[in-house]
Amino acid sequence: WRFKPYSLYVMPGFVVVGDPKTGEPSVATQDVYAFFAGLAYDYNEFWTWLMQVNAYSTPLEFTDIETLDDGAVDLAIGLHYRLTRRWLFEFSFSEDLTRTAPDFTVRFALRWINTSTAQSIRE
């Protein structure tokens, strides 16, 4: 949904996970349910600020280890900068909100947008 200069987006997710072929000990898995929700702010025609919350269920069946049995929620904050009409530079920092240990991810990306998408991106 677009409310200039803001955009709100949500997406459910579902991953079918198969049991890995391991010896002993055996590892049992389960399907993963996910939900993503984010907000983007177009600062100007070049800079966009982004924030997204991601929630996942665990892919492992009951292990009796709380850290593995619980799902995860993380927060990602980032930006993208439009280099040209079709090229974006992206940066994001993600932190797991469900664990007390500092476990974060930093992401850099260079993204190419195809011609049909590039025409509608700022409409």
Side-chain angles (χ1 to χ4, degrees):
W1 296 280
R2 187 151 176 86
F3 313 97
K4 288 187 179 184
Y6 296 97
S7 298
L8 174 66
Y9 50 95
V10 295
M11 183 178 74
F14 180 72
V15 179
V16 177
V17 180
D19 287 335
K21 297 184 180 4
T22 60
E24 291 297 323
S26 66
V27 177
T29 61
Q30 60 188 2
D31 296 337
V32 175
Y33 297 91
F35 183 75
F36 313 97
L39 179 68
Y41 172 70
D42 292 327
Y43 180 73
N44 59 31
E45 66 181 278
F46 298 102
W47 291 97
T48 300
W49 300 95
L50 307 158
M51 181 176 69
Q52 181 169 315
V53 175
N54 309 310
Y56 308 90
S57 63
T58 181
L60 301 174
E61 283 191 5
F62 184 72
T63 64
D64 205 22
I65 302 171
E66 185 177 328
T67 303
L68 296 176
D69 291 339
D70 292 342
V73 175
D74 66 57
L75 173 67
I77 297 173
L79 57 89
H80 71 238
Y81 178 76
R82 180 174 296 283
L83 298 169
T84 67
R85 184 169 166 244
R86 293 193 177 105
W87 288 96
L88 295 176
F89 168 76
E90 296 181 348
F91 166 81
S92 70
F93 176 86
S94 301
E95 173 63 30
D96 184 346
L97 301 176
T98 55
R99 310 287 186 265
T100 56
D103 50 348
F104 60 89
T105 303
V106 175
R107 177 178 172 267
F108 296 95
L110 187 60
R111 190 172 81 182
W112 179 77
I113 302 168
N114 73 30
T115 306
S116 61
T117 305
Q119 292 173 355
S120 66
I121 232 172
R122 292 287 174 199
E123 294 175 1

